[in-house]
Amino acid sequence: MFSLFLARRVLSGRRVVAIGLDIAGLHCWIPRNVSEAQSILKNSGTEQEDPPASLWTTSASGLVKLRMDPTCSQTPITVHQMFQESLEKYGALNALASKKNGKWEKITFLEYYRLSQKAAKSFLKLGLERFHGVAILGFNSAEWFISAVGAIFAGGIMTGIYTTSSPEACHYIAYDCRANIIMVENQKQLDKIMQIWNRLPDLKAVVMYKDSLPEKHPNVYTMDEFMELGNEVKEEELDAIINSQVPNQCCILIYTSGTTGKPKGAMLSHDNITWTAAHCSRAGDMQPAEIQQERIVSYLPLSHIAAQIYDLWTGIQWGEEVYFAEPDALKGGLVEVLKEALPTSHMGVPRVWEKIMEKIKEVSAQSGFVKKKMLSWAMAVSLERNLSSSNSDLKPFRMKLADSLVLAKIRHALGFSQCQKHFCGAAPLSAETLQFFLGLNIPLYEAYGMSETTGPHCMSGPYVHRRHSCGKAVPGCKVKLVNEDADGSGEICFWGRTVFMGYLNMEDKTREAIDEDGWLHSGDLGKLDKDGFLYVTGRIKELIITAGGENVPPIPIEDVVKKELPLVSNAILIGDQKKFLSMLLTLKCLVDPETSEPTDSLTQEAREFCQKVGSRATKVSEVVRTRDPVVYQAIQEGIDRANIHTAANAHHVQKWALLEKDFSIAGGEFGPTMKLKRHTVVEKYKAEIDSFYKD
């Protein structure tokens, strides 16, 4: 339904009246006169007089042309303008929920906004300069959000640093973004910065926002002290900076992982953030609070764009209530928060969903015979229904019975009893994981994008969904394939308002990523079907080219091996410039809940596999160090079965080895978002790989 509305909004630092259309919660602003239209165009970088010369820049203070076209014509706005618009609608609603002393403490959007303004003034008092960095080093929290928003209000560039970063990694980012202020969570993170402070010429102050300071250091403040610093800063000073901001300039830096070289600072504009928060989220069916206030749990690293756009910026755009998990969320504490928050929407990287799957299997394996049979029956019914092209062909009574007797209870135990949308992103999702959750009547909707596309450029959702696809390009965005092969697979390229401004101070890398026509090259391989659904098949840099010239995408082969061998946790295909393919394997094992380190104990699923083939092994070391003959024979048989499914003989795995320890973040094989670092694996296990090719 279309409805005309009048609304007040800020453009170029002044309040004007604009007429807009409200179309299913998407606001399209129409200027009322020529002067307002010129102001809008100037801010968007599309004014005819003296526009920015390029779609990209590598300067922190640079302006870019926005990718405006008829399919993507919504008026650009700044982060502050987005917050003000949301404030008018959602000011009285709860915005952020933090657990303190066993109780949830909540603040409203109005309080959130005022605290962000207060933080912005304090940043100015500490000497924050325009387009200099405010780095945030800590786990997800209300303080993280307030610092991020306040830094942008104050004209800085907000930059997250992973909590797992070493002092040297912290130095690289803080130096590169010219950080004036660094916000740290606790003493552990403060110690890192103290080690490198003398090598950060732009650093003026550090704020520790969780712990108290055991001893006073010059220019180091607690959060309470910091928030009071700005009391002397006049409203007019902050307003002048806010009003000078335009949508086509940088406000956020997202640093890439640096697995193939130095980390790159992807510059995101106000428009990147505000447009993506509004339109990509609606493509995934996230609801505005006037229809339904979404509840989400924030636990994935906010230094990564996926979590930041989903938790922080979409939260402001649509009036969501965000619950903050404890730092041990990925060590086993996540489910408890989910059970208390009861999210309506949840996002996880593949490894998070895999860990949930493994835990359910573990509990099921320890259950009695009847419970096991009930779960198996219920999941079979749900999987059949969800895989059916016409669900109505199946008897609805069976599905209702299976759901009410078994599946609903499992979803309740996971904290998903009110969850309507379950998203997955940041890495490919295996077919096994997808099917397992379909068996629980939990469809996982994949999203696809990069730091350089402000997160999701393609989205799946309840109404746009196809199995094994990451969905379609968000309305207003485009996707194309270049250099397609005979099978229709090519490099995925992006166009739209999600596309970043460029890499900070890296012109050569920016030119590599953005071509002459302004298309962003992803480095990923994919296929498009006739309906526009995208299927990601691998990365160009991960593509294995054998000595015989065969191009082999590793992920499909690895997925088949893991499907054939349910005791295998990770399977890594090897063979670039080699005569044949080989594989490194790790076994499923329990994880230490305190350290998240893999232990030597096999999971229940892995032990059952061993028992089934005639082995009594309960530890990884018992299998690997003794080269347990029955387990090794079973693995070889599984590899042989997997080879039958490959496209050609050159795609067969001819040799393999079991590693003594599963992969982990601490081990270096996974990044902070549990994404596999293939280059690190190849370097770390070079001796094992070399042994495959000695003869």
Side-chain angles (χ1 to χ4, degrees), residues 101 107 238 251 254 280 293 350 363 436 477 487 514 576 602 620 673:
N101 300 320
I107 63 172
L238 177 59
C251 65
I254 300 289
C280 294
Q293 188 179 25
V363 172
F436 180 86
C477 294
D487 295 327
I514 301 176
D576 200 45
L602 293 169
V620 176
T673 57

Side-chain angles (χ1 to χ4, degrees), residues 236-294:
E236 293 79 8
E237 183 179 347
L238 177 59
D239 287 346
I241 292 172
I242 288 172
N243 292 340
S244 70
Q245 295 173 14
V246 290
N248 57 331
Q249 63 188 182
C250 182
C251 65
I252 287 172
L253 281 170
I254 300 289
Y255 278 85
T256 61
S257 60
T259 53
T260 58
K262 292 192 301 183
K264 301 185 290 289
M267 300 165 57
L268 301 180
S269 68
H270 287 264
D271 184 66
N272 285 146
I273 296 299
T274 57
W275 193 92
T276 303
H279 299 284
C280 294
S281 58
R282 288 294 281 140
D285 202 41
M286 296 296 284
Q287 297 298 316
E290 52 265 54
I291 297 174
Q292 167 191 288
Q293 188 179 25
E294 300 275 11

Side-chain angles (χ1 to χ4, degrees), residues 491-507:
E491 184 182 10
I492 303 165
C493 297
F494 304 108
W495 175 276
R497 300 267 284 277
T498 63
V499 175
F500 79 138
M501 300 175 70
Y503 296 119
L504 180 64
N505 302 326
M506 289 186 174
E507 184 172 335

